[in-house]
Amino acid sequence: MDFLRQLIEQISSIWKKLEVSQKLTILAVMIGFLISLLLLVSYVKQPEYGILYSNLTSEDAGNVINKLREKKIPYRLEQQGRTILIPSSQVYETRIDLAMEGIPKGGEVGFEIFDKTNLGMSSFMEKINYQRALQGELSRTIQGLSEVLQARVHLTIPEPTPFIEEEKPPTAAVVLKLRPGVRLNKNQIYGIAYLVASSVEGLEPENVSIIDEKGNMLFGGKDSSYLTSSQLELKRSVEQYLTDKISSLLTSVLGPNKVVARINAELNFDHIQRTEERYSPKGKVVQSETRDEELRRGMASLIAGVPGVSSNIGNESISNSTAPQEERREKSSVQYALNKTVEHLIREAGNIEKLSIAVMIDGTYRTTKDGKREYIPRSEEEMEKLTSIIKAATGYDESRGDTITVA
């Protein structure tokens, strides 16, 4: 006790000797220390938060938040409400509980729309609900791909008609939102198109259109007038292949960094299949001949008399006699076999329709007497030879409309 009393007296004597500014400084430091200590304690006691769900739609986020409020589970929102965080110790248990209640639904309605039967529902509403459910199930399936963040499917299913010429095929449009920095390859895009086509009766893959969230066409069927990603890839590969041929050929002759080549290739992506049958009338051969003959013989009665009114009213006598008669009929049919040639012509897509070639060739240099480099342009004869070499290397065809510029 004496020690504590002496300590308090020493602190009191020191405090009395301090100036007002020094006392205020000490008080400010002590208050700051206490505040920092309280913040540290509250931070330590605060639970660690983990991600419950991310990339939610507004509808799903609202449903999840309502359930968290009912269960009195604290939560945080990030990424403009699309990500929900709760205490890490409750993440897995809460996910299981929400999944048992069908939350989140993924923003799309699936076949669970038919879980509740409505006896008063019309056939039109049943058809609309079936289409909504089919669109929702397809969206969920596509979102199962690791590269796809969100997917939306729109189906157009025409009414059936008994007239074949009035039938319209169903169509589908798919909008994909991909994960950042991720691209779908050609096989994946084709897989999505055939998945949608196989899920809808009567839907063909060429009637399926796929775009990304930026509006870029990924798949547009075989009748599209624009280039899909696979077609652009083929176009670039053709242009790069021809450019590399020019560069490697001229670099070995002129030296490195002397040639710059650029090629624009216009490709025909029409897939044409044609069947031709040709007949040669000169090489006809009798294949079958049928001949029918019919002969009839007998006696025919002949009635004769004086023509006029008297004969008609029976005043004149009428003679009746018989005479032999013969009737002949002939019918023939000849069938010829003609020489027939059948050809199946298939024109694959990706044929070159036109090439536009531009090549820049550097000249030569020489050092003058004063030590400066002087540029010497190449002669016209040399440029013509190089142009001929470029034409031969790229398959230049003037009748096709190809153009070339060498400078």
Side-chain angles (χ1 to χ4, degrees), residues 45 61 151 272 355 388 401:
K45 290 184 177 181
I272 300 175
L355 291 178
S388 300

Side-chain angles (χ1 to χ4, degrees), residues 15 62 383:
W15 179 260
M383 295 297 288

